[in-house]
Amino acid sequence: MKSDGDLTRAAEALRAGKLVVMPTETVYGLAASALDARALRRVFAAKGRPADNPLIVHVGRKADLARVAARVPALARKLTAAFWPGPLTVVVPAAPSLPRVVTAGLATVAVRMPAHPVALALIRAAGVPLAAPSANRSGRPSPTTVAHARGDLGRAVAVYLDGGPAEHGLESTVVDCTGAVAVVLRPGAITLEQLRRVCGDTVLGAGEQGAPRSPGMKYRHYAPSARVWVIEGRAAEARVEGQRTIARLRAAGRRVGAIAIGGERYQGAEEFRVPTLAALGRELYAIFREADARGLEDLVVRAVPDRGLGRAVMNRLRKAAKR
Ligand code: TXA
Ligand code: MG
């Protein structure tokens, strides 16, 4: 946990238009005052982020959603009542007073109330909503430890707050609440099944029925330098196929890593073992970074079933595998 001194320093830096790395329960965020256009431009510069990719605004109380939104649609009210504080981001009509850099000129704004105690304390100490994308250089995996963020952003950041390894390790679920039905724009730690328990049929999964996508989804994301091979199919067959892929790559003289899920084993590859699906979600980005640090050229992983948390994991794996 952070000392009060660190928090005070960080809050002061934010009020002075500087950048702070803050822990959240999903991934680490690169925070700036959401009301300060100059600070927000520094966020884009520090990340090397394209200007057409809007930021998520983080609030410290549920009631503050209404302060950054032009109006709060009923679906947003329902979802935030159920899942805030937590890994859910709602897209709602933006208050006209918000700087245009936050929303990248869109009429909507993405808002989330994080559950991490350090993030909540920081937002409250700063006294302003905080815009915070993931604290990685654009195109790199999101940081799940403060060391990852520091390695990517270095001196562009005034204060780094360490809140330990991120609890979920995958970014929040982004849900568009501006229409008649809620639409998942980015699958995350809150699952479609959980959303359906609250919204029933009025929520569409990512990619269903030509559902719209987040501006950010068009970029190649979440990718290590190592080539990622996602072996599709049922677990048993995919394990065999994964082992075959490793053998073929090794025969070509390549340095291969493999993610071994739930006690499975692979020969001829540097293994990254994760006991469960939740652990895979938590560790995935750290494994990507470690694979690169070890100079691995390929990373083999089998598909997990596309349900529950598996949807978010497969979304990130498929993006990482895209060439
Ligand atoms: O878990 C998270 O959401 C983390 C932590 C730090 O809170 N933040 C995060 O931010 O992942 P970022 O910037 O890496 O991803 C934000 C995503 C992008 O895909 C962006 O395009 C989308 O949210 N987004 C932001 N504003 C939007 C809007 N008005 N409409 C649709 N999508 C939006
Ligand atoms: Mg990001």
Side-chain angles (χ1 to χ4, degrees):
M1 194 48 52
K2 285 338 292 165
S3 72
D4 292 351
D6 289 334
L7 266 179
T8 308
R9 230 164 30 89
E12 273 165 13
L14 289 167
R15 281 194 296 267
K18 296 180 184 159
L19 309 187
V20 170
V21 161
M22 69 171 176
T24 86
E25 74 280 23
T26 56
V27 299
Y28 275 72
L30 174 61
S33 164
L35 309 181
D36 182 342
R38 277 185 54 201
L40 295 166
R41 281 194 287 273
R42 285 193 192 114
V43 169
F44 282 86
K47 280 182 64 83
R49 184 180 179 103
D52 66 350
N53 193 5
L55 307 177
I56 295 175
V57 174
H58 295 68
V59 295
R61 300 179 315 160
K62 291 188 194 186
D64 287 347
L65 173 59
R67 303 180 60 176
V68 293
R71 67 185 171 82
V72 180
L75 279 167
R77 209 173 290 282
K78 228 171 164 174
L79 287 171
T80 54
F83 299 111
W84 278 9
L88 176 78
T89 296
V90 292
V91 173
V92 296
S97 56
L98 276 181
R100 288 175 56 84
V101 261
V102 184
T103 61
L106 297 177
T108 55
V109 61
V111 190
R112 153 164 132 82
M113 178 182 177
H116 198 293
V118 175
L120 287 173
L122 179 66
I123 298 164
R124 288 169 188 160
V128 286
L130 300 181
S134 48
N136 51 285
R137 286 282 304 172
S138 210
R140 296 261 297 154
S142 292
T144 54
T145 66
V146 77
H148 295 163
R150 206 187 281 278
D152 273 18
L153 300 172
R155 294 168 57 85
V157 172
V159 182
Y160 286 88
L161 294 176
D162 188 353
E167 177 192 343
H168 298 292
L170 298 174
E171 304 83 351
S172 62
T173 306
V174 180
V175 180
D176 182 349
C177 295
T178 59
V181 295
V183 180
V184 177
L185 301 179
R186 178 176 74 183
I190 300 286
T191 65
L192 184 60
E193 290 80 355
Q194 283 176 290
L195 296 171
R196 291 230 155 98
R197 251 172 258 142
V198 173
C199 290
D201 291 342
T202 58
V203 56
L204 283 182
E208 275 177 18
Q209 289 186 4
R213 289 146 46 100
S214 241
M217 300 301 266
K218 67 172 179 280
Y219 297 106
R220 181 168 177 265
H221 246 172
Y222 319 117
S225 304
R227 173 144 192 198
V228 177
W229 301 82
V230 181
I231 313 296
E232 303 277 351
R234 296 150 70 96
E237 290 102 70
R239 272 196 293 273
V240 175
E241 186 54 34
Q243 185 60 69
R244 246 186 242 134
T245 303
I246 292 166
R248 186 165 56 74
L249 291 165
R250 284 271 291 186
R254 294 175 66 95
R255 284 195 61 194
V256 187
I259 302 181
I261 307 165
E264 67 195 19
R265 303 300 307 269
Y266 293 101
Q267 259 92 56
E270 292 188 32
E271 285 182 320
F272 298 92
R273 294 195 202 150
V274 289
T276 59
L277 178 60
L280 177 57
R282 204 159 49 233
E283 306 279 329
L284 184 63
Y285 291 145
I287 292 172
F288 283 175
R289 283 173 184 267
E290 179 61 21
D292 282 351
R294 293 194 202 168
L296 298 177
E297 294 163 286
D298 299 278
L299 185 63
V300 175
V301 56
R302 72 167 166 85
V304 297
D306 243 322
R307 58 170 180 270
L309 187 61
R311 264 189 264 267
V313 168
M314 284 310 296
N315 171 269
R316 306 310 190 269
L317 283 177
R318 289 195 177 111
K319 274 171 169 294
K322 215 182 262 168
R323 289 272 110 183

